[in-house]
Amino acid sequence: MNTNLKNSAFDKLKLAPIALAAGAGMMLAAAAPGQAAVVSLGQTVIQGGVTYYIYNSTVSSPLDQLPGATGNSAYGISEATTVGGRSDAFDSFAGIAVNGVSFNQPNDEVDLTTTAAGTFLNTISPVSIGGINTSLDYFMSASSPTVRVFGTFTNTTGNPLSAEIAYGGDLGCDDDCTIEDSSTGDNAFQSALDRWFITSDGPVDSDPFLTFVRFGPGGQLASSTPAVPSEDFNNFVDVFADTWTLNLAPGETQSLMWFANFNDSLAAAQAGTPVFNDLSTLGAAGLLAGLSPTQIAGTANWEQQPVATTPEPSSLIGLGSLLGFGLLSKIKRRKP
């Protein structure tokens, strides 16, 4: 980078979001030291007012019923309850499949690390699925009733590969599953528009209200949503599945990031949605903890938003001087 570019006010502002994300990522990454403890599944984690139960081979419908699926169950969160007493959030959720093959943690083991930020359950050794090294990491926030789901996919071959990533599972709302609200302001799900939506168990109103966050502004959209809560999927209305198509060059790594947020009321769920506006609000809420700048930059369904390019004060002074000089010149020319 040459000196003029480095020192220009415009480019400082243009690079500011990337620098901010990178700085936040480096500071937060320090909160999650690598491989603190290798533990066997299942695991119970209590963080942020939520109790999570995590197992291998627990997520089945709808992942094992999608076109091309092998029929195997995937690693995931079998159940989650709020400390306030609402249970049955999930009937096994937050699993993934790559080109139809369900992901499970090798040897029934994960890396567990707990810091002031929360608890991390990370993949120890990625699994090669058709030449795509795959890992799935959970972060349960200590300050928020939120779980982050982070999948990483690396093409280890010498050829371009297309990876269809299915994400989702079975919710606890059963036959009463209802979409209460969405980012577009209604309860009609729109795959290409709704960055998040909120579900409940309708008139029963005993399960947690769940906010599912799918992507950020400017991020890659899901290629399809074959299973929508409240809509029939193979005679079930309480399942959710998004599919995402990643085109990976040889050696390329891309990631996908999703969130689920738990609340005891619809009002609380709605009040919490601004946290998921973009990477800046996520970082401020501590929900990017443990992610490096490289990981954040490589997340396909989230994109750093530019800031307004407001001139620096010195530039405004200079502009004012030029305008004043021009005005004075006109006045002088008009004198008899």
Side-chain angles (χ1 to χ4, degrees):
M1 183 179 290
N2 64 50
T3 304
N4 292 332
L5 175 63
K6 186 175 180 181
N7 291 330
S8 74
F10 176 81
D11 284 283
K12 284 181 183 177
L13 289 162
K14 186 170 68 173
L15 294 172
I18 299 173
L20 178 63
M26 285 186 287
M27 287 187 291
L28 293 170
Q35 199 156 319
V38 175
V39 297
S40 297
L41 296 167
Q43 287 292 317
T44 301
V45 175
I46 303 175
Q47 283 287 12
V50 181
T51 302
Y52 304 87
Y53 304 88
I54 302 104
Y55 294 90
N56 249 357
S57 302
T58 188
V59 182
S60 51
S61 177
L63 294 187
D64 61 352
Q65 300 171 35
L66 297 177
T70 60
N72 295 328
S73 299
Y75 170 68
I77 303 171
S78 66
E79 171 64 292
T81 66
T82 65
V83 173
R86 288 181 176 253
S87 61
D88 198 26
F90 299 150
D91 288 331
S92 295
F93 187 76
I96 61 170
V98 179
N99 292 331
V101 179
S102 295
F103 172 85
N104 279 295
Q105 297 289 0
N107 305 313
D108 272 351
E109 292 179 333
V110 291
D111 174 272
L112 186 149
T113 304
T114 297
T115 72
T119 296
F120 302 79
L121 286 181
N122 291 337
T123 300
I124 298 170
S125 300
V127 177
S128 180
I129 302 177
I132 298 170
N133 270 6
T134 302
S135 64
L136 185 63
D137 302 330
Y138 297 147
F139 166 63
M140 282 71 76
S141 172
S143 59
S144 166
T146 304
V147 59
R148 181 185 74 211
V149 184
F150 195 84
T152 304
F153 313 94
T154 301
N155 179 358
T156 62
T157 75
N159 301 305
L161 292 177
S162 178
E164 185 173 86
I165 313 300
Y167 162 74
D170 195 337
L171 311 184
C173 42
D174 303 326
D175 293 338
D176 297 302
C177 204
T178 302
I179 293 181
E180 299 281 0
D181 198 1
S182 68
S183 62
T184 51
D186 56 32
N187 59 1
F189 179 78
Q190 302 174 78
S191 182
L193 298 176
D194 284 323
R195 298 192 301 103
W196 55 260
F197 62 90
I198 299 171
T199 66
S200 76
D201 58 345
V204 178
D205 192 20
S206 60
D207 296 355
F209 288 81
L210 302 175
T211 304
F212 296 96
V213 185
R214 304 170 60 232
F215 57 89
Q220 182 175 328
L221 305 180
S223 50
S224 67
T225 306
V228 177
S230 78
E231 298 180 10
D232 179 75
F233 176 84
N234 291 352
N235 298 317
F236 292 96
V237 296
D238 60 344
V239 291
F240 169 47
D242 265 329
T243 58
W244 305 77
T245 302
L246 301 180
N247 295 310
L248 299 169
E252 183 181 9
T253 296
Q254 293 187 37
S255 298
L256 293 168
M257 179 169 63
W258 309 278
F259 298 89
N261 177 254
F262 305 76
N263 287 282
D264 291 335
S265 71
L266 177 59
Q270 291 169 324
T273 57
V275 167
F276 306 106
N277 281 351
D278 53 39
L279 289 174
S280 296
T281 55
L282 288 173
L287 293 178
L288 299 181
L291 297 178
S292 69
T294 299
Q295 287 175 303
I296 295 170
T299 303
N301 59 334
W302 290 82
E303 183 177 281
Q304 179 66 50
Q305 299 299 297
V307 296
T309 54
T310 304
E312 291 184 345
S314 58
S315 300
L316 292 173
I317 293 171
L319 180 61
S321 299
L322 288 172
L323 290 173
F325 178 79
L327 181 61
L328 181 62
S329 297
K330 285 185 177 180
I331 293 172
K332 287 183 176 180
R333 284 199 298 269
R334 287 177 182 175
K335 286 185 176 182

